[in-house]
Amino acid sequence: MTYMTIRAAIVGPTSYTGLELIKLLLSHERIELTYLASGREQLPNIAEEFPGLIGRCEMVCRPIDAAAIGREADVVFVCLPHVAAMQHVPALLDAGLRVVDLSADYRIEDPARYASVYGHDHEDTENLADAVYGLPELFRRHIEGATLVANPGCYPTAAALAAAPLLQRSLVRDGTIVVNAASGVTGAGRGAKPHLHFPEVAEGFTAYNVGLHRHQPEIEQTLSRVKGRETTVLFVPHLLPINRGILETLYLEPADDQINEDELFTAFEDAYDEEPFIRVRNDLPNVRDVRDTNFCDMTVRLAQGRIIVFSAIDNLIKGASGQAVQNMNLMFGLDETEGLM
Ligand SMILES: NC(=O)c1ccc[n+]([C@@H]2O[C@H](COP(=O)([O-])OP(=O)(O)OC[C@H]3O[C@@H](n4cnc5c(N)ncnc54)[C@H](OP(=O)(O)O)[C@@H]3O)[C@@H](O)[C@H]2O)c1
């Protein structure tokens, strides 16, 4: 049997998601990592930036030159902040690359909505129209063969996977879905920010951006698509003083007061029976169990007349770089689990 080797590049490899991608791609049998592209003037050796890579990957970063990347790679992962990403994606596509963008730039379908949420006009509406939202468990067939995949946000991944089985089966009443969420500090990226310094975060626990977080419209967009009707969400994020991991708790009203917990559990098992990365558990999920994995662990409870769904992911893996590799596998017709199990 002949195996195809896919040449991969990363734009923004000095990021947290970039580091996770490098580690995942090094262990992916079908991938050759050929190009690390950085916007820095002083281009770093990636192993000096991340000493954990010494002896594993000691590539020197090169400039973000779309034509050069296009000559040396088949797929490029873009690990830049929003706005910066869409300034590079058009040239990368023009250079013939398949693109998995980890930023928010191609996730919100409506450019006017993007502008109101991100405070910046969309600069690449042409490619936005063709971008595919890369949540494989819900939109797999759209991802297969796609050229530009918008990799979902970390919080939206955990929320959409938790609510989808109930919405698909019309098991919940119309009304705002409450999503209570907590994320480890890497969710905010590697850049230095005073409120994320160790003494500010350690031993504390607080909510932030209540009802205002940029992921709320993304969650609403996905759930509206799943349900086929406008769906609203109240999203309450918290900063959890751990490095990585997201736990979300969703509160929903049952459509039928007579439904019992076993029937709800069966709905989740039916929905995700065939999914390699979703583990429907009897017990309550813990971020510790999904750390460094592409799994989403979840379960459901019925209490005080409310449906409560719990989901846990690693924000940097299923919430970012692992899901990006899962999407790349689908885009190139590989086994979806390659490099991820
Ligand atoms: N962290 C998560 O859990 C997570 C989850 C899902 C999605 N995402 C998204 O994935 C993307 C990367 O996130 P991250 O947390 O890994 O980021 P990060 O650690 O903050 O790193 C950002 C990267 O972008 C580079 N960069 C920043 N501005 C740039 C510019 N104008 N031109 C060129 N390069 C620039 C930085 O380079 P320097 O090192 O030179 O500054 C760095 O490599 C973001 O859009 C983020 O929203 C993150």
Side-chain angles (χ1 to χ4, degrees):
M1 197 186 295
T2 51
Y3 287 106
M4 176 177 62
T5 298
I6 297 162
R7 302 166 304 158
I10 299 173
V11 178
T14 52
S15 58
Y16 282 148
T17 55
L19 172 61
E20 294 306 315
L21 266 168
I22 292 169
K23 291 192 284 188
L24 288 169
L25 296 175
L26 287 175
S27 63
H28 193 302
E29 290 191 355
R30 308 289 285 275
I31 293 293
E32 183 192 354
L33 191 56
T34 56
Y35 200 121
L36 299 180
S38 165
R40 289 191 195 173
E41 276 182 31
Q42 297 287 324
L43 292 163
N45 181 316
I46 201 66
E48 284 170 13
E49 187 76 14
F50 296 121
L53 293 176
I54 293 171
R56 299 172 69 195
C57 179
E58 301 193 1
M59 293 167 75
V60 177
C61 293
R62 289 185 275 168
I64 309 176
D65 174 342
I69 299 170
R71 284 192 293 275
E72 295 191 35
D74 305 302
V75 63
V76 59
F77 297 90
V78 179
C79 300
L80 303 181
H82 60 275
V83 181
M86 66 183 161
Q87 285 160 2
H88 293 285
V89 167
L92 294 166
L93 289 168
D94 287 347
L97 290 145
R98 303 262 192 110
V99 177
V100 181
D101 178 33
L102 281 81
S103 86
D105 281 348
Y106 295 88
R107 295 184 200 150
I108 303 288
E109 289 163 11
D110 176 4
R113 186 97 172 107
Y114 174 89
S116 75
V117 174
Y118 286 93
H120 196 285
D121 283 346
H122 206 289
E123 295 171 10
D124 184 24
T125 50
E126 198 178 319
N127 289 312
L128 176 65
D130 295 330
V132 170
Y133 190 73
L135 192 49
E137 290 77 9
L138 302 184
F139 309 119
R140 181 169 286 112
R141 69 186 168 81
H142 300 279
I143 301 164
E144 289 162 353
T147 305
L148 170 59
V149 166
N151 212 57
C154 45
Y155 282 129
T157 293
L161 293 175
L166 299 170
L167 299 181
Q168 285 161 338
R169 289 162 180 73
S170 303
L171 292 173
V172 286
R173 210 165 275 170
D174 285 345
T176 299
I177 299 170
V178 178
V179 181
N180 203 25
S183 172
V185 186
T186 53
R190 194 169 173 230
K193 295 162 196 117
H195 71 287
L196 299 177
H197 288 176
F198 183 81
E200 305 292 330
V201 174
E203 299 170 43
F205 184 54
T206 184
Y208 65 100
N209 291 357
V210 178
L212 300 171
H213 195 283
R214 286 166 167 169
H215 284 171
Q216 183 169 297
E218 186 183 332
I219 299 169
E220 288 176 336
Q221 176 180 280
T222 306
L223 297 187
S224 299
R225 192 170 155 195
V226 168
K227 191 171 166 186
R229 276 208 311 282
E230 182 95 2
T231 301
T232 53
V233 163
L234 170 58
F235 179 59
V236 186
H238 298 70
L239 185 63
L240 190 60
I242 60 175
N243 276 346
R244 52 205 286 170
I246 284 179
L247 181 71
E248 299 196 5
T249 309
L250 281 70
Y251 303 86
L252 309 98
E253 278 197 60
D256 172 4
D257 293 340
Q258 303 304 311
I259 196 156
N260 63 43
E261 202 169 271
D262 285 345
E263 288 166 327
L264 291 170
F265 194 79
T266 302
F268 277 82
E269 283 198 313
D270 288 350
Y272 293 132
D273 196 26
E274 308 273 306
E275 291 298 340
F277 295 116
I278 301 204
R279 301 188 296 198
V280 179
R281 298 171 51 156
N282 286 311
D283 54 350
L284 296 168
N286 189 320
V287 291
R288 193 191 298 125
D289 301 332
V290 293
R291 195 187 153 111
D292 300 317
T293 81
N294 201 48
F295 288 118
C296 175
D297 281 7
M298 64 175 70
T299 199
V300 61
R301 295 284 187 273
L302 188 62
Q304 304 288 91
R306 289 289 155 95
I307 301 172
I308 311 170
V309 189
F310 302 88
S311 67
I313 60 170
D314 183 325
N315 56 293
L316 290 174
I317 307 289
K318 184 58 176 164
S321 306
Q323 184 138 266
V325 171
Q326 191 180 352
N327 280 318
M328 180 210 65
N329 286 338
L330 284 166
M331 290 164 88
F332 284 86
L334 305 181
D335 181 323
E336 196 171 327
T337 65
E338 277 206 53
L340 293 169
M341 282 294 194

